[in-house]
Amino acid sequence: LDISLLAVPCTALLAPLNGIRQDCTGTDKEYYNTVCLFSCNIGFKPIGSSSRKCTENGTWSGQSFVCQGKNKMYSAAVACRTI
């Protein structure tokens, strides 16, 4: 029995804010055994699993991946201005 025929697709994972997603489409869904790789832009700290795999039950292995600013001031949505 080929498990890939019974496997449930996973919901697509988005690229992290201030980071990059590779090796998966990120469109609608991903299929069994698809691996998504994540990394952060320079100046941002990776938190979570940098590699996640779509499992047979339609869930992703590992933990959610985010890129955190090393200095929270730089990762905020509002820029600060020097007077």
Side-chain angles (χ1 to χ4, degrees):
L1 178 64
D2 183 357
I3 195 167
S4 65
L5 297 176
L6 301 174
V8 177
C10 294
T11 302
L13 297 173
L14 299 175
L17 186 63
N18 299 307
I20 299 167
R21 178 198 63 238
Q22 294 176 292
D23 295 343
C24 55
T25 65
T27 53
D28 181 35
K29 57 189 168 187
E30 303 290 352
Y31 294 97
Y32 174 64
N33 271 344
T34 297
V35 175
C36 292
L37 303 175
F38 301 95
S39 60
C40 294
N41 295 339
I42 294 172
F44 292 87
K45 176 183 172 184
I47 297 173
S49 303
S50 61
S51 175
R52 300 187 69 191
K53 184 185 224 179
C54 180
T55 65
E56 67 275 357
N57 64 0
T59 61
W60 289 98
S61 66
Q63 302 297 315
S64 295
F65 184 87
V66 295
C67 297
Q68 183 181 60
K70 290 183 181 178
N71 181 339
K72 292 190 187 313
M73 177 175 68
Y74 295 116
S75 63
V78 178
C80 295
R81 177 171 50 158
T82 305
I83 300 175

